[in-house]
Amino acid sequence: MYWEKDIETMPRDRIETLQSGLLRDTVRLAALSPFYGKKFRDAGIDPAGFDGLRSKEKLPFTTKDDLREHWPYGFLAVSRDELVRMHSSSGTTGRATVVFHTAHDIGQWTNLVARCMYMAGVRKGDVFQNIMTYGLFTGGLGFHYGAERIGALVIPAGAGNSKRQIQLMRDFDTTVIHIIPSYALHLYSFFEEMNLLPSRDTRVRIAFIGAEPHSERTRKKIEELYGFKAFNSYGLSEMNGPGVAFECPEQNGLHIWEDNFLAEIVDPDTLKPVADGSEGELVLTSLRRTGMPLLRYRTKDLTRIITGDCPCGRTHRRIERITGRTDDMLIIKGVNIFPIQIEKKLMEIPGVGNDFLIVLEREGYNDRMTVKVEVGQDFFDGDVLHLEKLRRRITEDLRSDILITPQVELMAPNSLPKTEGKAVRVVDNRKD
Ligand code: AMP
Ligand code: ZN
């Protein structure tokens, strides 16, 4: 059973007492690593005297640059022969960082993923097809282990090879999948090509979608196309991978597992905590990791705490779906824009297909933004006048939202380049 009721519905005061003790242990352990050992000495922090949660703001932040600068072993708190696994980030921004796990860490991570999957309704007897890249990326093995712990039959399909994915789903009666949202939209076109309807011709009833930002509208679109429930799964390799925060059946925010992670939301400029409900950068501390504990890790992901109790009864606080990363903000003609704002608008417009790409160029001192938008097959085959009307509507809707007028190019369905991993949303040709 992976409904850990005592933990998942623990009263808030008990969660905080638990966190305080775990934080004390983590600080003592972290002090053994070269990185934190020096940080603590420089900041005059005595790990043996550290008194828990109430002093959390005395602890140093940790950034991706710190991980890169102390690459690869500078964060180890145990000797290397205790390690059993290495993973790395997908390297969306710069050089990939690595995280090492002991057998204890893998066990904890596996439990967390099992807990998340169980919460969404996965049970022994389910057939789970993991449509994620295996290997260094955490989405493959992380979910694989969690699903096995529940007792589901796992098909380690890996990413890509779309027709084969559909074949596997049909041949082995897959009931649960794990897939990147942009790939789910792309995969649907293969169902169309094969004259199949996922809701009629497969038995998939639950999907886990994550690893990249996506709007509520995109989730709804995926649910409508496939006829299954899609749950948002959030994680990052620095905090194991998937299993950090996850949607419950209410599908209204993601519960952060606070018995394993200490979450803070800070203003990314001042690094001061923001009030509950206000947006800021998510900062996470691992509370049970032994091989490579991380303190106050700046995720760069923007979100907010959802205040109030969740009707599901779980007491671990919820975060809003991630609205972007501080480092994927585009500044165009001086205006700050997140790619997800564009995605959100596009997905509301009937006739828009399943993919888009933002291309930025510099002409003299001016930025030029082109948004390439795939249209739906019906529109594409229809009247050119309708296409022109659609193009104008997209231009106008985007302009009213982002306050600059983009060049909009309509594209044939499936004509934009696809990746097996996280979608590439922006091509910035402005840099020399
Ligand atoms: P990686 O270290 O390669 O696992 O990448 C982790 C990053 O992927 C996170 O910091 C987020 O920026 C992004 N990410 C993961 N899951 C989600 C999600 N459900 N929604 C939005 N972004 C996500
Ligand atoms: Zn809930």
Side-chain angles (χ1 to χ4, degrees), residues 347-382:
M347 290 301 161
E348 285 167 2
I349 304 174
V352 165
N354 292 336
D355 202 4
F356 72 97
L357 182 69
I358 301 165
V359 182
L360 303 172
E361 242 112 38
R362 181 155 290 154
E363 271 177 359
Y365 291 104
N366 260 329
D367 292 338
R368 203 179 57 185
M369 175 188 203
T370 306
V371 184
K372 300 185 176 200
V373 183
E374 284 186 7
V375 293
Q377 192 69 50
D378 291 356
F379 252 79
F380 193 71
D381 296 338

Side-chain angles (χ1 to χ4, degrees), residues 40-276:
F40 291 170
R41 278 192 301 278
D42 291 351
I45 295 172
D46 165 25
F50 184 77
D51 65 353
L53 219 45
R54 89 179 91 128
S55 298
K56 65 173 190 272
E57 278 162 40
K58 292 192 187 135
L59 295 171
F61 287 99
T62 309
T63 63
K64 216 176 183 79
D65 283 341
D66 292 330
L67 292 174
R68 287 189 181 123
E69 280 158 25
H70 298 82
W71 190 91
Y73 296 120
F75 279 82
L76 285 192
V78 296
S79 67
R80 276 166 61 180
D81 59 5
E82 294 296 320
L83 303 174
V84 300
R85 179 94 68 81
M86 176 186 124
H87 275 291
S88 84
S89 68
S90 46
T92 344
T93 48
R95 182 190 193 181
T97 48
V98 289
V99 176
F100 298 97
H101 302 271
T102 63
H104 165 89
D105 298 339
I106 296 289
Q108 286 290 333
W109 178 21
T110 300
N111 279 347
L112 284 177
V113 177
R115 191 195 282 179
C116 295
M117 295 181 84
Y118 192 92
M119 174 164 74
V122 182
R123 297 291 180 273
K124 183 173 164 56
D126 268 312
V127 178
F128 170 62
Q129 188 167 327
N130 200 11
I131 311 179
M132 282 277 169
T133 311
Y134 274 69
L136 287 171
F137 178 57
T138 57
L141 288 174
F143 259 83
H144 184 113
Y145 273 52
E148 280 189 356
R149 180 141 306 173
I150 287 182
L153 166 62
V154 180
I155 305 178
N161 213 338
S162 303
K163 288 191 176 162
R164 185 156 161 271
Q165 298 286 358
I166 295 172
Q167 197 63 47
L168 287 169
M169 281 180 203
R170 285 163 53 76
D171 285 350
F172 302 104
D173 289 338
T174 299
T175 52
V176 182
I177 62 172
H178 176 207
I179 188 165
I180 292 187
S182 53
Y183 184 58
L185 291 172
H186 178 52
L187 183 64
Y188 185 75
S189 63
F190 288 87
F191 277 96
E192 287 182 315
E193 201 185 310
M194 294 161 81
N195 281 317
L196 296 171
L197 254 186
S199 55
R200 183 192 62 205
D201 300 314
T202 80
R203 294 185 154 197
V204 181
R205 60 175 220 288
I206 295 174
F208 298 109
I209 57 173
E212 65 184 13
H214 55 286
S215 62
E216 180 61 27
R217 191 62 212 117
T218 292
R219 182 243 292 278
K220 288 264 159 58
K221 185 162 187 171
I222 293 171
E223 290 191 333
E224 280 157 20
L225 290 174
Y226 282 89
F228 53 45
K229 284 258 165 230
F231 294 89
N232 190 352
S233 147
Y234 170 77
L236 59 161
S237 53
E238 292 83 358
M239 293 290 137
N240 304 339
V244 175
F246 224 84
E247 274 181 340
C248 67
E250 299 293 325
Q251 292 186 304
N252 178 19
L254 296 85
H255 290 282
I256 297 196
W257 297 125
E258 293 182 279
D259 58 321
N260 270 261
F261 303 102
L262 174 65
E264 299 168 78
I265 311 263
V266 303
D267 177 320
D269 296 322
T270 64
L271 299 183
K272 294 277 174 254
V274 301
D276 275 2

